[in-house]
Every structure is written in C-alpha cells, then in structure tokens.
C-alpha cells in the first residue's frame, strides 16, 4: 500500500534518502547579516536588525506596528496580557492546535475553553463559536460571562492551521458582538492572506513564530502585530522588563519580561524575510503538484479556501480512517519519508483535561485522519 504516494514524494524531492517534513533554506544574505551583526558587537536585544525586522514585517503584513519577541509562545503570552487576561479568566481557543496556544493561557492563570474547528480550514469554526456563546454565556456590563462558571471570557485565540486561513472575518464579528478580545495565532501563517488581508490583522493583535520549523526562521523568534498604538507600546514595554526609559536610572513600573528578540536572531530573520515570497511561490507550486497527484487517489489533499491565499507551510492529506492513517505513518516513516499526525486534541492532555469543552466532532474527525507530508521548499526557479 501507499507505494504510489511514496514514489511520488521521492520523485518530487529526487531522493530516496531521508526527506524531512520541513527544512529551513539559507540561500540569501543570512551569513552576511550575521557577520555584520557580530562585527557591530550588538548581538543582544538592542540593534539595528531588530528595528529593521519590525519595520519590514509591519510593512509586509500591513500592520501599523510589529514587536519582535524571543519566540511565538512569549508573543502569545504578552498578547493575552494585552487583553488583560488574569487569574480565573477564561479564553476560548480550538482543541485542535499546537500546545503553545494553551500553555500561554495557563501562564496567565486563566483557563482555556475548547471549541470545534471547521473540517475544511482545520481552524476555529465561526458557527461553533457562535453556538457556544449563544448557549453558554450572558453579556453583562460589556463582559462575556460564562453561565456555568461565572467567569469572564476575556479573549478568543483562533489559529490558522498549517498556514491555511480560517474564517477569520466571521470570527471577528462574533468576538466584537460579545466584547471578546481577538488574538490571532498566526504562528504558522506568515505570508497567508484572507481576502487579500494578511492573517494576524483581523484581531486586536496577531502573533507569529519564527521557530526553526516555520516558513521563515530566526533560529527562535516571534512577533506581535497590531494597528493599535497603545497596545503596541505596552507590548514593547512588557517584552523589555517594563523599564521606564532613562539615560541611566533603572526604573520598572510593572512586572515585565525578558522577551525581546536578540539582534543576532533578527539578522538571520531579515535575510529570511527577503526570500519569503520566493519560498511561498515554491511552496504553492509544490502544493499544486500534490493536489494534482492526490486527485487520482483515495486520499484528500487539504486546500486553502477559495477566498484565501495560503502559504502552504505544511502540506496535509486526509486518510480514510485512523487505521489507514497509522498504516500510512508506519509505511512512510519506514521508507525515510517523514510524516506526522496532527496534534492530539488539547482537552486530552493532562494539564487541560479539566477544561470546559464544547462539541468537538470535527476536531475528533480530523485528529484521526490528518497527516503532514514533506513540505520543504524544493528549488527556487
Ligand atoms: C510554532 C507555534 C507556536 C509557538 O511558537 P514558538 O516560536 O515555537 O514558541 C504557537 N502556536 C502555533 C500554532 C505554532 O505552530
């Protein structure tokens, strides 16, 4: 079984050696900027590459402000603090996500609530979100109160799974109606657009990751994007130990964090950003090849919504059931082709097993069927 899929992937990558899921590509100015950075001695959290990166990612995404952070998880943590998420508040997110989304909620002492995803986008379902809020909450004094727990639902964190934008404009309208602060986890969707607008720009804030496995990398890094000046200022303040600017005095006006991206990482990232559009072009070509190939098989290739442009960070297919998925994972991995299942649902992990969750039919259906297949940029022509 699966010989056709395996030989297609081997032919595409022109090798029978190990094919990773996603490898970074350093084909531009990475070494040049890193050398420049070292020569300048500004390798830590102050330096021109950090500022340059912030300007460039803001202009690329169309956000007014960008704040570079040490990683995507710290960017999520700070974003939740910007939403005033505190001890015993609640935050709605999807059960089908990477664990960082939910860890950041717990860093604030808040509890996640898990709502279902749509099958086609694998991201938060607006109809499930609306249904949950209608059946379980009451708006009082411009706050959304959970009828069951009496706690305030302060924020909602949808995620654009594997780079495919979810139905974010509908989610935005629902959050506005219920006075819920919208934070987009766009960690995987740098370079993905929903109706011509970059993901991360629909909520009050958006979060991106530049970890080694993402579409562009800083080694480790992240950022917050927003068009709200006050939030941007506060985000920068929080990531820089909340130090009050002064020539020499050490004054800090709140508990801050050391979450700023180092200049060394930003140097790598500025070079990577110069090739982002080339990477996306190549990845969309690969996705087209996969799509054509899988049409003639019993497996479904996951595509972007018609109104979106996905970065196709990680390609994914749907097997027919869990047994077939496990057979595929076994076969592909034993043939040197790296393949992974989608994440275990968050409500099944020990630290979130007491969290409230809604009907998760689609999440469970996808959990059993989705696998990622090799997605590295192939060639740049
Ligand atoms: C990668 C990722 C993060 C975390 O980013 P790090 O930079 O690894 O901390 C958060 N959410 C999602 C959905 C991710 O894929």
């Amino acid at each position: 079984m699966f010989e056709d899929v395996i030989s297609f992937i081997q032919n595409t990558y022109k090798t029978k050696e190990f094919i990773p899921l996603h490898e970074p590509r350093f084909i531009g100015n990475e070494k040049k900027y890193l050398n420049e950075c070292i020569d300048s001695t500004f390798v830590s959290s102050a330096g021109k590459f950090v500022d340059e990166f912030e300007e460039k990612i803001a202009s690329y995404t169309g956000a007014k402000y960008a704040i570079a952070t040490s990683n995507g998880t710290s960017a999520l943590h700070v974003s939740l603090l910007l939403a005033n998420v505190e001890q015993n508040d609640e935050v709605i997110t999807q059960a089908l996500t990477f664990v960082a989304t939910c860890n950041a909620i717990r860093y604030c002492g808040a509890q996640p609530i898990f709502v279902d995803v749509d099958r086609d986008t694998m991201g938060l379902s607006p109809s499930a979100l609306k249904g949950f809020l209608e059946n379980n909450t009451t708006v009082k004094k411009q706050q959304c109160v959970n009828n069951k727990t009496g706690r305030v639902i302060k924020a909602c964190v949808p995620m654009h799974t594997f780079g495919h934008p979810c139905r974010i404009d509908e989610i935005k309208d629902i959050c506005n109606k219920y006075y819920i602060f919208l934070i987009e986890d766009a960690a995987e969707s740098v370079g993905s657009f929903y109706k011509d607008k970059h993901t991360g720009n629909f909520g009050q804030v958006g979060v991106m990751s530049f970890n080694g496995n993402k579409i562009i990398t800083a080694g480790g890094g992240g950022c917050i994007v927003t068009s709200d000046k006050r939030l941007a200022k506060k985000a920068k303040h929080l990531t820089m130990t909340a130090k009050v600017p002064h020539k020499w005095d050490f004054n800090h006006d709140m508990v801050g964090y050391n979450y700023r991206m180092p200049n060394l990482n930003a140097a790598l990232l500025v070079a990577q950003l110069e090739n982002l559009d080339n990477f996306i072009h190549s990845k969309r070509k690969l996705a087209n090849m996969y799509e054509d190939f899988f049409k003639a098989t019993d497996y479904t290739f996951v595509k972007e919504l018609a109104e979106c442009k996905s970065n196709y960070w990680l390609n994914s297919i749907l097997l027919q059931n869990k047994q077939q998925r496990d057979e595929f994972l076994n076969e592909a991995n034993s043939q040197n082709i790296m393949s992974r299942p989608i994440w275990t649902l968050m409500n099944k992990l020990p630290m979130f097993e007491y969290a409230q969750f809604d009907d998760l039919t689609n999440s469970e259906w996808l959990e059993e069927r989705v696998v990622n297949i090799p997605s590295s940029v192939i060639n740049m022509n």
Side-chain angles (χ1 to χ4, degrees):
M1 270 181 94
F2 311 117
E3 286 93 1
D4 51 343
V5 183
I6 287 169
S7 61
F8 179 77
I9 296 174
Q10 286 171 338
N11 290 336
T12 303
Y13 281 93
K14 298 187 175 62
T15 181
K16 295 200 171 184
E17 310 273 291
F18 177 69
I19 304 171
L21 206 58
H22 197 281
E23 271 185 322
R25 291 279 183 269
F26 304 114
I27 54 167
N29 289 319
E30 284 85 357
K31 288 181 181 169
K32 182 175 168 230
Y33 295 165
L34 280 168
N35 275 328
E36 244 181 71
C37 181
I38 293 166
D39 290 341
S40 77
T41 77
F42 284 87
V43 294
S44 202
S45 48
K48 72 159 201 164
F49 287 108
V50 181
D51 299 336
E52 194 178 330
F53 167 70
E54 288 179 337
E55 268 165 43
K56 289 195 164 150
I57 194 77
S59 114
Y60 183 88
T61 58
K64 280 201 184 131
Y65 309 97
I67 298 91
T69 59
S70 52
N71 53 54
T73 310
S74 56
L76 276 165
H77 183 194
V78 168
S79 298
L80 289 158
L81 296 172
L82 296 177
N84 293 319
V85 173
E86 292 168 348
Q87 191 84 26
N88 297 324
D89 285 334
E90 293 180 340
V91 177
I92 295 178
T93 189
Q94 54 203 61
L96 190 70
T97 185
F98 179 58
V99 69
T101 320
C102 308
N103 282 338
I105 295 169
R106 293 294 301 132
Y107 297 166
C108 302
Q111 294 294 340
I113 297 173
F114 300 117
V115 168
D116 211 2
V117 294
D118 283 330
R119 283 194 191 186
D120 52 359
T121 66
M122 303 182 287
L124 190 69
S125 162
S127 55
L129 176 65
K130 185 161 174 271
F132 177 82
L133 292 168
E134 279 173 2
N135 296 325
N136 297 282
T137 67
T138 311
V139 172
K140 287 179 202 156
K141 294 184 195 149
Q142 307 202 341
Q143 287 195 313
C144 180
V145 179
N146 185 336
N147 296 338
K148 189 172 161 197
T149 60
R151 293 173 178 153
V152 178
I153 299 174
K154 286 257 179 85
C156 174
V157 191
M159 199 272 281
H160 302 292
T161 304
F162 305 141
H164 302 316
C166 64
R167 294 182 170 80
I168 192 65
D169 58 348
E170 291 175 51
I171 293 172
K172 178 186 172 151
D173 289 344
I174 298 165
C175 288
N176 281 345
K177 188 172 161 204
Y178 283 85
Y179 301 96
I180 294 173
F181 191 100
L182 178 58
I183 298 167
E184 280 173 86
D185 186 342
E188 305 184 352
S189 63
V190 176
S192 299
F193 294 79
Y194 184 91
K195 294 181 181 167
D196 297 327
K197 191 165 162 181
H198 196 282
T199 52
N201 276 328
F202 291 81
Q204 276 91 339
V205 297
V207 167
M208 291 168 194
S209 165
F210 307 104
N211 190 30
N213 63 346
K214 296 300 200 293
I215 190 162
I216 53 171
T217 184
C223 81
I224 298 168
V225 290
T226 182
S227 288
D228 182 316
K229 190 174 182 180
R230 186 188 62 85
L231 293 177
K233 257 183 100 170
K234 187 164 175 199
K236 192 164 176 181
H237 192 59
L238 278 168
T239 58
M240 300 179 77
T241 67
K243 185 175 183 301
V244 181
H246 187 274
K247 273 187 191 151
W248 47 74
D249 280 345
F250 284 102
N251 269 318
H252 305 260
D253 58 3
M254 62 204 318
V255 176
Y257 299 85
N258 179 14
Y259 278 172
R260 190 88 173 134
M261 180 187 288
N263 202 36
L264 208 46
N265 298 77
L268 187 72
L269 189 53
V270 168
Q272 286 270 289
L273 192 55
E274 290 171 352
N275 265 313
L276 176 58
D277 281 335
N278 292 332
F279 292 163
I280 292 172
H281 181 75
S282 162
K283 288 167 83 66
R284 290 182 61 86
K285 242 170 45 183
L286 173 65
N288 272 328
M289 286 163 67
Y290 273 136
E291 186 187 346
D292 284 346
F293 169 78
F294 282 107
K295 266 182 200 152
T297 69
D298 296 335
Y299 325 118
T300 310
F301 181 72
V302 182
K303 289 189 293 182
E304 65 198 353
L305 294 181
E307 62 269 37
C308 297
K309 190 175 169 228
S310 172
N311 65 6
Y312 281 95
W313 169 55
L314 285 188
N315 292 293
S316 49
I317 56 171
L318 288 163
L319 283 300
Q320 284 170 343
N321 52 48
K322 187 166 190 291
Q323 189 193 338
Q324 196 189 47
R325 181 203 77 168
D326 290 343
E327 283 163 11
F328 179 83
L329 288 170
N330 256 319
E331 190 59 25
N333 286 297
S334 70
Q335 302 269 348
N336 275 335
I337 293 177
M338 189 172 167
S339 178
R340 272 190 338 204
I342 201 164
W343 312 281
T344 300
L345 299 189
M346 292 298 115
N347 54 304
K348 296 182 182 172
L349 300 182
M351 58 286 195
F352 307 122
E353 68 186 354
Y354 300 104
Q356 186 176 359
F357 57 90
D358 200 32
D359 175 81
L360 298 175
T361 306
N362 293 339
S363 306
E364 283 159 3
W365 190 86
L366 290 165
E367 183 193 27
E368 293 190 341
R369 288 168 178 77
V370 177
V371 298
N372 291 129
I373 50 177
S375 304
S376 307
V377 166
I378 297 184
N379 61 46
M380 303 295 297
N381 305 316

